[in-house]
């Protein structure tokens, strides 16, 4: 049990050290947009997609101004949920299935 807590503390430290949360971004906002990610983004519910676009635009603006959000507005490790991951897993599964089918 002690090792799990230590690992969790390390994850939280790394999450904060990465710095994207200080710009109001979530982990899934930082994914490289390859074809799979682009397809997963198309499948997001509109409100989730709009929230992502807002976070990215705000982060770009802050970055250009060399600023970060006030600490009370940083995305906390516990609040960062993988909103894109389920869609991305589905897209990857479908692509692999298509590739396997095309090999036959």
């Amino acid at each position: 049990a002690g090792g799990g807590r230590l690992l969790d503390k390390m994850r939280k430290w790394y999450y904060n050290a990465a710095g994207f949360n200080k710009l109001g971004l979530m982990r899934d906002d930082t994914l490289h947009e390859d074809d799979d990610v682009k397809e997963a983004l198309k499948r997001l519910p509109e409100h989730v997609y709009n929230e992502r676009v807002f976070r990215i635009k705000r982060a770009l603006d802050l970055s250009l101004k060399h600023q970060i959000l006030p600490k009370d507005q940083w995305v906390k490790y516990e609040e960062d949920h993988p909103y894109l991951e389920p869609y991305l897993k589905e897209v990857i599964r479908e692509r692999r299935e298509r590739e396997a089918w095309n090999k036959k």
Side-chain angles (χ1 to χ4, degrees):
R5 281 191 300 240
L6 179 61
L7 187 59
D8 199 42
K9 284 184 181 190
M10 293 284 290
R11 285 184 181 137
K12 287 180 185 179
W13 175 85
Y14 183 78
Y15 182 86
N16 286 314
F20 58 83
N21 65 320
K22 297 172 185 168
L23 297 172
L25 293 172
M26 299 175 89
R27 192 177 357 224
D28 282 358
D29 296 335
T30 65
L31 292 175
H32 173 71
E33 289 192 21
D34 60 11
D35 290 338
D36 290 338
V37 172
K38 287 178 184 176
E39 179 59 34
L41 288 170
K42 291 178 187 176
R43 299 180 184 194
L44 284 175
E46 186 176 0
H47 74 281
V48 175
Y49 180 79
N50 290 339
E51 290 169 357
R52 172 190 166 88
V53 169
F54 171 79
R55 287 190 303 271
I56 292 172
K57 285 183 176 182
R58 179 179 57 186
L60 285 170
D61 184 54
L62 288 166
S63 182
L64 287 170
K65 294 176 181 176
H66 301 284
Q67 297 176 346
I68 60 173
L69 290 171
K71 192 166 185 167
D72 63 327
Q73 293 181 32
W74 293 3
V75 177
K76 294 171 187 60
Y77 176 80
E78 298 80 14
E79 296 170 353
D80 191 337
H81 58 282
Y83 67 89
L84 189 60
E85 187 178 335
Y87 299 94
L88 186 56
K89 283 182 179 179
E90 181 180 332
V91 167
I92 292 169
R93 182 188 56 77
E94 290 172 2
R95 178 179 47 79
R96 288 181 178 157
E97 193 174 292
R98 242 186 339 271
E99 288 170 354
W101 179 260
N102 289 336
K103 285 182 182 178
K104 291 182 180 182

